[in-house]
Amino acid sequence: MKKVLLLSIFVFWFSFGIAQEHYKNFHFTTDDGLPSNTIYGITEDKAGNIILGTDNGLTFFDGNEFKTWNVKDGLINSYIVAVANDADGTIWFINYGGKLQKLQNNKIVNTTIFCDYYNQILSTKRSLFLYTTQVLNKSNGYTNIELFKQKGLKINADTLIKTKKMAAPALAQNGEDILFKDNYIFYKQHKIPLSKKVKLLHKVIFRKDNVCVLDEFNLFIVDFKGTILNTVKLPQPLSEKRFYKYDFVVDQQENCWLNIQGKGLFVLKNNQWISEQESLGLSTDENINFLFCDSKGRLWIGTNQKGLFCIPSSLIEAIYFKNRVNNFTSFATAFDKQALYVATNFSLYLYKNQQLSLLEKTELPFKIDNIDNNPIYYFPYYKMLTSDKNLESLPRLLGKQFIKKEGEKYFSLFGMSGIVIRQKKNLLYKDRYIENKIRVKEKIDKVIYYKKEYYFSNKQKINVRTFDDNFIYSKRELKFKIKGFIKDFTFIGDTMWIAANNVIYKAFNEKIIDSITRINGVELQNIKKIKLIGQDKYLCTSNGLFKISKAGNRVLNKFNFLPSNDVNNVALFQNSLFVATDDGLAKVNNEIITAKAVSPFLNVVFKGRRVSTIKIPTNDDNVDLLLEIQNFYSAKNKLVQYKTDNSSWAIANGNSISFPIQSYGNHSITIRVKDVNSDWTIKTITINRAFPFYLKWWFIGIMIVVLLGILYCIYQFQIARIKRKQQQEMAINNKIVELRQNALTALMNPHFLFNSLSSIQYFINSNQIQKSSDYLGKLARLARLFLMQASSSFITLEEEIIRLKLYIELEQLRFNNFEFQFHIDENIDISTTKIPNMIVQPFIENAILHGISHLREQDGIITLNIFLVDQLLTIEVIDNGFGIDNYILRKKNHISKGINIILERIEILQQSYPENVFCIIQESVFPNQDRKGHRVTIKVTILP
């Protein structure tokens, strides 16, 4: 009876004194989006998504959210008992009591293979094996069927395993076949003989330096020559209870994991199988259905009615004591550097040889720390701990912080604002209290010695003080002011770092030069402690541990590495970072923390399609986007931001973004996502909101053409109106000129008739009856022509020539002192060619009357030339008289009205017919002689 009692007390004490270690894990249930908490199979697709076979559909998990295919998507049955993937991306799965199906090119395809009772799938390069571990065939192998992939899933008729040493239907690793033939294992370049100790081969996994061979009863670790390095007995023979399945995997750190249904989940440590069932919160009678290690080394655990677990790495551990308060507070490295002291408020532990064990307990809170690389213990009261004799040599100080040491005297901060001196004499401690001379009620939290001065902090401000063995004196107060309560401060180099509520202030030469409120996008909350380890700065806060380093800042919290966000202290020991939290002690390999996390993978989905460009109709002014984010590191640590066009970054809530598009045309939205410890993944989507028809280029073009057409019509109308007005004015002016010309003719004809009649009288008086008769007949004909053509604006060239000849003949009879020469181009049709009426006669008259009529030599010559030049009718009237200049000198007051009228008419004709030519040129023929002569050139366009 006493032995039983003592054993019970020992077990009770042992359960309290030995810490339990478990790997950091993430737990997912239906509350997180799983369609069911029962998972039968797990695999991984080419994109890295985890695929789950549940009793409520085929589920895909990207680390962020679960998406499930069900009967409505093509499943024969939503009860999925096994899944497997091919190298080409095909996903194979078995429905309970149904057919084998596959998901290929995002479409579910049925096969003709009935699965019956098969609950496992193994895919090799050549074949697909359906089998069950619960039923053995005659050769003690798993009952199975082999399907040839290249033959359209043709069933291999020989389904029995020929060798009696192999239970599995086939062996494979990472898509590569492992062959077992003639008692040899073939894998890539390896050929390994199998030991006779292996009775029934279940699984083979190659590691970096050795091979794991799973037997019915043992796990054999063999080298590449087949030599057995180690033999570890299994917790239970694999076929002892055939109703239960088993799984065996090796993680990224090459730890061996074994799951046996009904027995539990085990990891191999120090050649012993350590149960991990309880660390997951599962009892031994709660089944784990499937164990899977993905391509990144993460361990996935599918359970029966308890959801999905993920162990990201065996290098991330949490240490805690069952049925105890696990509020860890401080650390101190042992003298020999081979152990780490760990403290809670009331217990002291020693971490050594990968185990945490209890050293002592107390009813009073205390702290530990290292001073000059030596561990020291602080006790706030005079009452001391009863401790292990091995710890009696360690300095134990009253108070809450060590300040300095002088010989055998230790100065430490004690009480509200005092200092206690502890001096050891003859193995006894003698304490003396130093009184604070500053008569202000305050609580001193921390003292720092820097450059021969002591800096005191009392939560509200920091000042410099000095002290001796009797009193504390004030020296000066720092100039800067801090908002909030000062929780901690320290010097890093020459810069003072001050933690006040949610801000880190940096002060240099007693001036604030910088502040920190966020690290890697995460806000600091309630900063408790600033700790310098090497060149790295650590901030212990209420929302995690923040590392500030030149190699890159890191955030550690309960979503990636820690058991709790409430961090009290941190220590680096044997390349592992120990983090003291309010809910356990975290132990994380420092290499994992230093390594930058892989950036999340991002896809943008719009209306069910992954897109890089989006087109929306005119009447849509809002865009809703769904984000597919693959992030297995810490889904709840992801940061998602977006901005449209040139706006500022905004924070996205969840995995969807909704934003307005107010203007038409092209826009862009840039989305970036990251894990708190990774770089950004950035994706820019182009969005085109269609213009309404009235803003489209073709409509605007039509409107411009219509407007230009209207303007052109208005312009043409105005031009036509102006032209009509001008034509009316020109017609009026032309009529006026014609009337003036007719009037001039009317004035001219009487004068001409008077002179002609005088000439006739002269011929009669001089008895020249024939001449008078001829003269009178020509005059009558000329008068008749004048009367007939007076009302015509244009006459033919033939009519003009006839009239001119009659006129010249009469003038020759009158003056008898000149000769008339007439030349006409043969190519001119004088009967159809029209010229303005009376355009030539005034110039011939002017040549006779003012050019040659006064010549005494009677050698006058008047020449009329009519010819074509560049399709222009050219008429020249040339005389060898005195010329126009000499005539003007003699007749200063004379104005030739007939010529002026003709010039006005030519101008009107040019305006009326702008496309035609009407011009008159007058010039001297012999400019260097007294008788300069005169030439009149008339150029007109031949009118039809």
Side-chain angles (χ1 to χ4, degrees):
M1 184 67 182
K2 289 183 179 180
K3 290 183 179 180
V4 173
L5 181 61
L6 290 174
L7 181 61
S8 300
I9 294 173
F10 174 77
V11 171
F12 180 78
W13 173 256
F14 183 81
S15 65
F16 274 86
I18 300 299
Q20 295 183 350
E21 298 183 18
H22 66 83
Y23 299 111
K24 172 71 177 179
N25 65 78
F26 300 105
H27 186 202
F28 306 96
T29 65
T30 52
D31 294 337
D32 302 296
L34 267 174
S36 169
N37 285 331
T38 298
I39 299 163
Y40 290 105
I42 307 174
T43 190
E44 180 182 13
D45 67 11
K46 292 177 67 175
N49 296 307
I50 298 302
I51 305 172
L52 309 173
T54 77
D55 61 2
N56 193 24
L58 184 69
T59 300
F60 290 76
F61 182 46
D62 59 7
N64 190 61
E65 63 178 341
F66 296 92
K67 294 182 179 180
T68 300
W69 293 61
N70 221 304
V71 175
K72 60 181 176 57
D73 302 302
L75 295 184
I76 295 175
N77 189 312
S78 61
Y79 202 116
I80 309 297
V81 297
V83 291
N85 70 306
D86 270 349
D88 63 357
T90 302
I91 306 300
W92 301 92
F93 53 95
I94 297 175
N95 300 104
Y96 182 75
K99 292 182 179 180
L100 175 69
Q101 291 184 288
K102 65 179 179 179
L103 179 63
Q104 193 172 40
N105 298 325
N106 211 34
K107 184 179 180 181
I108 293 178
V109 180
N110 294 328
T111 71
T112 59
I113 306 301
F114 284 94
C115 298
D116 296 330
Y117 47 75
Y118 299 118
N119 58 12
Q120 298 274 43
I121 304 176
L122 177 64
S123 177
T124 66
K125 286 185 176 181
R126 186 175 65 97
S127 301
L128 193 70
F129 292 90
L130 309 183
Y131 65 97
T132 177
T133 59
Q134 298 168 347
V135 180
L136 300 182
N137 56 30
K138 296 179 181 180
S139 299
N140 289 324
Y142 308 147
T143 300
N144 69 90
I145 57 172
E146 181 182 5
L147 307 174
F148 296 117
K149 295 179 181 178
Q150 296 180 353
K151 296 182 180 180
L153 296 183
K154 183 178 180 181
I155 300 177
N156 183 4
D158 185 7
T159 59
L160 296 179
I161 304 300
K162 295 181 179 180
T163 175
K164 295 183 178 181
K165 293 196 66 173
M166 187 169 170
L171 301 172
Q173 182 173 339
N174 298 327
E176 295 284 342
D177 291 350
I178 299 176
L179 301 179
F180 179 60
K181 184 178 181 181
D182 298 331
N183 218 42
Y184 281 90
I185 297 173
F186 298 89
Y187 180 66
K188 295 182 177 180
Q189 75 276 14
H190 299 291
K191 179 182 178 182
I192 302 172
L194 189 64
S195 172
K196 293 181 179 180
K197 293 183 179 181
V198 179
K199 302 301 181 182
L200 186 61
L201 183 61
H202 284 266
K203 198 164 187 177
V204 175
I205 296 180
F206 280 76
R207 299 196 296 189
K208 182 179 179 181
D209 299 319
N210 50 53
V211 184
C212 297
V213 178
L214 188 65
D215 178 63
E216 175 72 18
F217 304 99
N218 300 289
L219 173 64
F220 297 97
I221 309 298
V222 302
D223 62 15
F224 295 136
K225 294 180 180 180
T227 304
I228 295 178
L229 304 176
N230 195 12
T231 301
V232 184
K233 187 178 180 180
L234 300 184
Q236 173 183 293
L238 297 182
S239 301
E240 180 176 314
K241 295 182 179 180
R242 295 181 183 179
F243 181 75
Y244 296 111
K245 298 192 302 181
Y246 81 92
D247 296 293
F248 176 74
V249 298
V250 174
D251 65 19
Q252 193 173 25
Q253 287 72 44
E254 297 197 335
N255 296 307
C256 295
W257 293 79
L258 176 66
N259 171 56
I260 303 176
Q261 278 188 338
K263 189 69 176 179
L265 174 66
F266 303 89
V267 60
L268 187 63
K269 288 185 178 180
N270 298 323
N271 294 326
Q272 290 185 344
W273 293 106
I274 307 300
S275 175
E276 285 291 320
Q277 192 102 347
E278 189 175 354
S279 67
L280 299 177
L282 303 176
S283 61
T284 54
D285 59 348
E286 290 178 314
N287 279 343
I288 292 176
N289 293 332
F290 203 84
L291 199 61
F292 177 75
C293 187
D294 67 17
S295 59
K296 304 299 182 182
R298 295 180 290 260
L299 192 67
W300 298 89
I301 304 166
T303 70
N304 188 62
Q305 298 183 356
K306 292 296 181 178
L308 175 70
F309 292 86
C310 176
I311 298 176
S313 173
S314 59
L315 298 178
I316 307 173
E317 297 181 76
I319 304 172
Y320 67 100
F321 288 89
K322 188 177 180 180
N323 302 322
R324 279 198 185 186
V325 176
N326 288 281
N327 185 8
F328 291 87
T329 58
S330 51
F331 300 100
T333 306
F335 286 113
D336 59 4
K337 313 300 181 189
Q338 299 301 311
L340 180 70
Y341 294 106
V342 183
T344 65
N345 282 331
F346 303 100
S347 301
L348 177 65
Y349 302 93
L350 183 68
Y351 183 82
K352 190 173 184 179
N353 297 328
Q354 306 297 317
Q355 286 190 346
L356 187 70
S357 55
L358 178 66
L359 293 181
E360 54 188 352
K361 298 193 306 178
T362 179
E363 296 178 355
L364 302 175
F366 70 99
K367 291 196 308 180
I368 59 176
D369 202 352
N370 282 98
I371 302 298
D372 296 330
N373 296 321
N374 294 321
I376 292 181
Y377 300 82
Y378 303 101
F379 301 93
Y381 306 102
Y382 285 102
K383 184 177 180 180
M384 301 298 298
L385 295 177
T386 57
S387 62
D388 193 319
K389 292 184 178 180
N390 296 326
L391 302 173
E392 289 183 354
S393 60
L394 301 182
R396 293 172 175 257
L397 305 180
L398 289 178
K400 49 191 175 183
Q401 183 199 335
F402 172 81
I403 298 177
K404 72 172 182 177
K405 178 184 178 184
E406 292 181 355
E408 293 297 324
K409 293 191 296 184
Y410 292 86
F411 293 76
S412 58
L413 189 63
F414 184 79
M416 292 290 291
S417 59
I419 295 176
V420 67
I421 303 174
R422 166 162 283 202
Q423 189 171 8
K424 188 175 182 181
K425 290 184 178 181
N426 299 325
L427 300 178
L428 296 175
Y429 289 107
K430 183 179 182 181
D431 300 318
R432 185 157 57 87
Y433 184 73
I434 301 176
E435 184 180 354
N436 193 346
K437 277 288 186 181
I438 303 172
R439 301 301 181 184
V440 178
K441 189 175 181 180
E442 62 179 353
K443 181 181 179 182
I444 301 298
D445 292 311
K446 190 169 184 178
V447 179
I448 289 180
Y449 181 70
Y450 174 73
K451 289 187 176 180
K452 299 181 179 180
E453 290 188 316
Y454 290 94
Y455 291 79
F456 285 67
S457 167
N458 64 358
K459 287 191 180 297
Q460 296 179 344
K461 55 188 176 181
I462 300 172
N463 50 40
V464 179
R465 302 181 184 182
T466 185
F467 57 89
D468 54 25
D469 288 359
N470 299 303
F471 298 104
I472 302 172
Y473 307 93
S474 177
K475 192 172 182 180
R476 74 176 188 280
E477 186 174 316
L478 302 190
K479 299 177 183 179
F480 57 76
K481 293 184 178 180
I482 299 296
K483 294 181 180 180
F485 292 110
I486 299 173
K487 298 293 185 68
D488 193 14
F489 76 103
T490 188
F491 279 93
I492 300 177
D494 292 328
T495 302
M496 178 185 287
W497 287 46
I498 307 154
N501 289 358
N502 306 326
V503 183
I504 290 290
Y505 295 95
K506 296 181 184 180
F508 183 75
N509 289 338
E510 300 185 13
K511 293 181 180 179
I512 301 296
I513 59 172
D514 195 9
S515 63
I516 302 173
T517 58
R518 288 175 175 267
I519 295 177
N520 289 2
V522 181
E523 290 185 350
L524 303 175
Q525 295 179 10
N526 187 24
I527 306 167
K528 304 177 184 179
K529 188 175 184 63
I530 305 171
K531 191 163 185 178
L532 183 67
I533 302 178
Q535 298 297 317
D536 300 331
K537 282 78 69 177
Y538 291 86
L539 307 180
C540 302
T541 76
S542 293
N543 65 324
L545 177 68
F546 296 82
K547 176 184 177 182
I548 301 175
S549 172
K550 291 181 179 180
N553 298 336
R554 298 290 183 266
V555 178
L556 288 73
N557 55 30
K558 68 180 182 180
F559 302 121
N560 53 16
F561 297 107
L562 307 182
S564 167
N565 275 346
D566 214 337
V567 178
N568 300 314
N569 212 323
V570 61
L572 185 62
F573 177 70
Q574 293 181 347
N575 200 37
S576 290
L577 195 71
F578 287 79
V579 184
T581 76
D582 281 353
D583 192 26
L585 178 67
K587 175 192 171 187
V588 186
N589 186 281
N590 196 43
E591 293 179 0
I592 293 182
I593 299 172
T594 304
K596 183 176 291 187
V598 176
S599 299
F601 186 77
L602 173 64
N603 276 317
V604 179
V605 177
F606 178 69
K607 293 184 177 180
R609 290 189 308 109
R610 293 177 178 176
V611 294
S612 58
T613 59
I614 296 173
K615 292 183 179 181
I616 60 175
T618 303
N619 55 353
D620 281 358
D621 58 0
N622 200 75
V623 176
D624 297 316
L625 299 179
L626 180 65
L627 306 181
E628 291 182 346
I629 303 171
Q630 187 185 89
N631 179 29
F632 288 107
Y633 281 89
S634 49
K636 295 183 179 180
N637 268 342
K638 71 177 184 296
L639 303 175
V640 183
Q641 297 178 346
Y642 69 96
K643 66 175 181 179
T644 56
D645 297 328
N646 296 318
S647 62
S648 300
W649 289 105
I651 298 175
N653 296 320
N655 297 324
S656 61
I657 297 174
S658 180
F659 56 93
I661 296 292
Q662 297 178 347
S663 59
Y664 305 108
N666 288 327
H667 301 270
S668 66
I669 178 171
T670 301
I671 305 168
R672 63 182 188 182
V673 59
K674 64 170 290 188
D675 180 82
V676 290
N677 296 320
S678 76
D679 292 329
W680 291 101
T681 296
I682 302 175
K683 184 161 288 190
T684 299
I685 305 298
T686 301
I687 302 173
N688 178 270
R689 183 184 179 190
F691 286 94
F693 72 93
Y694 54 81
L695 291 179
K696 292 186 177 180
W697 66 268
W698 56 267
F699 185 84
I700 295 173
I702 292 174
M703 289 297 100
I704 291 174
V705 171
V706 171
L707 180 60
L708 291 176
I710 293 173
L711 292 176
Y712 178 77
C713 292
I714 294 172
Y715 172 76
Q716 291 296 325
F717 176 78
Q718 292 293 332
I719 292 298
R721 189 172 66 84
I722 293 170
K723 281 185 176 181
R724 285 195 301 272
K725 186 176 180 180
Q726 288 177 345
Q727 288 174 355
Q728 290 173 358
E729 290 176 353
M730 285 189 293
I732 293 171
N733 291 335
N734 194 26
K735 191 68 176 177
I736 292 172
V737 170
E738 289 178 357
L739 291 174
R740 288 174 62 190
Q741 184 172 339
N742 293 337
L744 179 63
T745 304
L747 291 172
M748 178 187 69
N749 289 340
H751 178 72
F752 174 71
L753 290 174
F754 176 77
N755 291 333
S756 298
L757 291 174
S758 297
S759 298
I760 293 171
Q761 185 182 12
Y762 170 75
F763 290 141
I764 293 172
N765 290 337
S766 60
N767 201 24
Q768 298 181 37
I769 297 176
Q770 184 62 38
K771 283 187 176 181
S772 62
S773 176
D774 293 340
Y775 195 97
L776 184 60
K778 291 180 180 179
L779 179 62
R781 289 180 62 195
L782 181 61
R784 185 170 178 272
L785 290 174
F786 271 124
L787 290 173
M788 292 177 62
Q789 299 169 356
S791 61
S792 300
S793 297
F794 291 88
I795 61 174
T796 64
L797 186 57
E798 182 180 19
E799 293 172 337
E800 181 69 8
I801 291 171
I802 293 171
R803 191 172 63 184
L804 288 176
K805 284 182 177 181
L806 287 173
Y807 173 74
I808 292 171
E809 289 175 358
L810 289 173
E811 293 292 15
Q812 282 179 327
L813 288 174
R814 179 183 170 191
F815 293 103
N816 197 26
N817 66 340
F818 70 92
E819 179 184 349
F820 178 72
Q821 298 178 354
F822 179 77
H823 304 286
I824 185 168
D825 192 339
E826 294 179 354
N827 296 323
I828 298 175
D829 184 359
I830 60 176
S831 63
T832 59
T833 303
K834 291 186 177 182
I835 62 173
N837 192 8
M838 289 291 289
I839 197 172
V840 181
Q841 190 272 337
F843 292 104
I844 292 179
E845 180 183 354
N846 194 58
I848 295 172
L849 296 179
H850 307 297
I852 63 174
S853 64
H854 305 289
L855 295 177
R856 296 178 181 178
E857 294 81 358
Q858 295 187 354
D859 58 350
I861 299 174
I862 295 176
T863 304
L864 178 63
N865 298 321
I866 301 174
F867 53 91
L868 288 173
V869 178
D870 296 331
Q871 299 303 314
L872 290 178
L873 181 65
T874 304
I875 303 171
E876 289 183 341
V877 179
I878 304 171
D879 68 79
N880 61 347
F882 289 102
I884 191 65
D885 294 336
N886 292 333
Y887 174 76
I888 291 172
L889 290 174
R890 294 195 306 270
K891 302 288 184 178
K892 293 182 179 180
N893 295 325
H894 178 76
I895 299 174
S896 179
K897 293 183 179 179
I899 292 176
N900 286 341
I901 291 172
I902 290 174
L903 293 175
E904 289 180 9
R905 192 177 179 198
I906 287 295
E907 184 178 354
I908 291 172
L909 286 171
Q910 188 65 68
Q911 292 177 357
S912 300
Y913 303 96
E915 68 278 4
N916 297 330
V917 176
F918 298 94
C919 67
I920 296 176
I921 302 171
Q922 301 186 62
E923 59 186 351
S924 298
V925 182
F926 314 108
N928 297 324
Q929 299 179 15
D930 290 338
R931 288 169 57 179
K932 298 181 181 298
H934 190 64
R935 178 190 288 118
V936 176
T937 304
I938 303 170
K939 294 183 178 182
V940 296
T941 300
I942 299 175
L943 297 175

